Amino acid sequence: MKDNDVMVCRCSDVSLKELRELIKEGYHTFEEIKRITRIGMGSCQGKTCGNIVLRELSMATGKNINELNMQSNRPPVVGVKLSLIAEEADRDEL
Amino acid sequence: MSYSADVVIIGAGISGCSIAYNLAIKGIRNVIVIDRSYIASGATGRCGAGVRMQWGTKMNCLLAKESIEFYEKANEILEYDRDVTFYQGGYLLLATTEKEISQFKENVKLQNSLGIPSKMVSLKEAKDIVPHLNTDILLGAAFCQKDGFLDPFLTTDAYYKAAKRLGVKFLTYTEVKDIIVNNNKIERVVTDKGDIWTDKVVNAAGGYSKNICDMVGIDIPVYSDRHQILVTEPIEHVQGPMVMSFSMNLYCQQNPKGPFIMGRGDDNEPRDLRITSSWKFLEDMAKTIKNVLPPVANLRVVRQWAGLYNMTPDKQPIYGKVDEVDGLYLAIGYSGHGFMFGPLTGIIIAEMISDAKPTVDVSLLGLNRFKEGNLILEPSVV
């Protein structure tokens, strides 16, 4: 399979080709790559694509994957409907 | 390592990158931009991605109008290989009180006199523009089609790449530790990667602008506080404009790529540099959105984050030189709208450094206005 047929990020439609070109351009951290491509910003929040990106970064930079950082973990852990949060907040106030 | 530069810019957000680009096209290319992290890692990359011309002071209106007119052509001018994703879906400003209605009317009059095509709209018209808007809680609204969404990362990246092509040097992951001043003149900038010898420094450090001024002993009347945002899962495009309310403390717009972004401030925030997320914000935001844009509350929130507003007493930026230190230039204190003013910030500061005739006269926005008590308060900030 060609690089541009391999999808690294299913939420934001980013191909392996695009990822590798970006790394070649000098974007060498997950956070930088995320901001250009939106990798990790979709519904999965990097749970699917995160390790693939780190592996590619590790191969390109020669750094051990342990030395590379995943994106910042941000709340909530899983997607929650805003209406549910609002209902709970209203209930707390009763 | 030791470097020398004609100009050192502290901060690689939209302001720093835009200043660097504008210096470079004027032929001043021995320029170094320093950032403690990566490009747009601070307030720029954390902002709500909206740009608007609908302001309440003449200066803010002019800065925003000129900047948005630049953004309309940014891809071409900056020869960007991606797309800054400028979508002019407008800003719909909601009024819930009579006081707000009269304020908006005044603002629209000022904006129109400066060539900004804003207008007051009826509740029916507002509903036509945003069909899922709860107009029962409103008295009226103001609208400007030229306002809209712009991708902060890609826009800053466009400036960064253009500046780099022209020879500007970027030192990311580099922290400024001190600025050495000798006989009231800048001598060098001390960083954790070595010293940079220069006689001109631009403070474009956003939320950290005060820390930089402290290094040279200048007390500036700004503070930073945390503002929070959240983003939902993406859906098909259903909301054209940014919906904004000052009285209900809300802004909410749909990224053209699908997700809704919404944020608010909090008057009780301590004045510090925290950018953590809070549960209270999530609850307050959820309740407000359920009230104002009810169907949007059916979406799942996937992420929340925060960034710093660098606030001035009149909520307008501080531009220009300071009396106490020769060679120091300020481009700070945007009070939450530095991203929108990026293009003009770059043009103005580059013109000051090269002693060129200013495109927009910003003499009213110097640091001295606070000594002289010459403040015109911006009424329209969330």
Side-chain angles (χ1 to χ4, degrees), chain A residues 11 18 22 25 27 29 31-32 34-38 40-43 45 71 74-76 78-90 92-93, chain B residues 38 40 46 81-82 151 153-154 157 160-161 173 230 232-234 255 257 259 262 277 282-283 286-287 289-290 296-305:
Chain A
C11 302
E18 203 182 342
L22 211 57
E25 268 188 67
Y27 298 88
T29 62
E31 294 285 356
E32 287 166 88
K34 163 178 137 179
R35 279 162 173 77
I36 301 292
T37 58
R38 302 189 68 78
M41 292 169 114
S43 304
Q45 287 295 293
Q71 67 170 329
R74 299 198 191 282
V78 291
V80 185
K81 274 190 183 181
L82 283 161
S83 55
L84 288 176
I85 296 168
E87 272 169 40
E88 281 298 303
D90 285 337
D92 287 347
E93 274 165 22
Chain B
Y38 48 88
R46 297 165 184 282
D81 57 347
R82 294 174 183 272
D151 190 306
F153 314 128
L154 295 172
D157 189 55
Y160 156 71
K161 279 184 160 173
Y173 303 100
L230 65 79
T232 70
E233 59 193 325
N255 181 322
K257 287 167 185 155
M262 56 194 84
S277 296
L282 191 57
E283 288 194 339
K287 284 195 279 188
I289 209 73
K290 198 177 156 197
V296 178
N298 290 321
L299 298 176
R300 286 173 185 82
V301 47
V302 295
R303 184 170 75 249
Q304 64 177 109
W305 70 95

Side-chain angles (χ1 to χ4, degrees), chain B residues 103-352:
Chain B
Q103 177 74 59
F104 285 5
K105 280 182 180 158
E106 226 173 274
N107 290 359
V108 165
K109 211 164 115 189
L110 170 73
Q111 289 152 7
N112 290 169
S113 76
L114 300 168
I116 296 169
S118 56
K119 58 182 180 185
M120 294 299 292
V121 293
S122 68
L123 292 181
K124 194 192 161 294
E125 287 169 309
K127 190 101 184 156
D128 287 342
I129 299 168
V130 180
H132 52 281
L133 178 67
N134 176 12
T135 48
D136 296 346
I137 53 173
L138 308 177
L139 292 180
F143 183 68
C144 176
Q145 188 73 58
K146 288 262 179 189
D147 303 344
F149 172 94
L150 180 69
D151 190 306
F153 314 128
L154 295 172
T155 305
T156 312
D157 189 55
Y159 269 118
Y160 156 71
K161 279 184 160 173
K164 214 166 121 177
R165 278 197 304 273
L166 293 169
V168 172
K169 198 170 164 60
F170 286 81
L171 295 178
T172 51
Y173 303 100
T174 303
E175 198 169 331
V176 173
K177 294 290 185 189
D178 203 359
I179 299 169
I180 308 298
V181 177
N182 216 332
N183 287 329
N184 296 328
K185 284 197 176 84
I186 303 255
E187 183 188 279
R188 65 196 147 100
V189 176
V190 180
T191 79
D192 57 357
K193 302 262 175 72
D195 290 6
I196 307 170
W197 295 78
T198 184
D199 56 7
K200 289 188 187 72
V201 167
V202 180
N203 179 356
Y208 293 84
S209 66
K210 193 171 174 57
N211 308 50
I212 298 297
C213 279
D214 285 348
M215 290 177 185
V216 292
I218 296 175
D219 187 23
I220 49 169
V222 307
Y223 65 89
S224 294
D225 68 356
R226 174 179 73 167
H227 281 242
Q228 300 192 61
I229 304 192
L230 65 79
V231 66
T232 70
E233 59 193 325
I235 57 163
E236 72 276 20
H237 205 251
V238 294
Q239 183 175 314
M242 171 82 93
V243 172
M244 192 167 198
S245 165
F246 304 108
S247 56
M248 292 183 286
N249 191 5
L250 161 82
Y251 61 84
C252 171
Q253 85 172 337
Q254 189 177 17
N255 181 322
K257 287 167 185 155
F260 279 76
I261 310 166
M262 56 194 84
R264 63 194 283 137
D266 183 346
D267 287 341
N268 297 318
E269 277 292 325
R271 296 177 177 186
D272 59 21
L273 299 170
R274 282 172 317 130
I275 45 169
T276 48
S277 296
S278 83
W279 179 246
K280 183 176 182 299
F281 160 75
L282 191 57
E283 288 194 339
D284 290 347
M285 193 74 238
K287 284 195 279 188
T288 307
I289 209 73
K290 198 177 156 197
N291 186 25
V292 182
L293 298 163
V296 178
N298 290 321
L299 298 176
R300 286 173 185 82
V301 47
V302 295
R303 184 170 75 249
Q304 64 177 109
W305 70 95
L308 296 172
Y309 274 27
N310 191 226
M311 303 297 294
T312 61
D314 59 359
K315 296 172 184 166
Q316 301 195 89
I318 305 173
Y319 284 129
K321 296 181 188 181
V322 298
D323 294 340
E324 296 86 346
V325 178
D326 198 23
L328 178 68
Y329 295 80
L330 304 180
I332 60 170
Y334 299 100
S335 308
H337 38 277
F339 177 55
M340 312 188 190
F341 294 174
L344 247 278
T345 297
I347 291 169
I348 287 166
I349 301 294
E351 285 167 347
M352 284 177 180

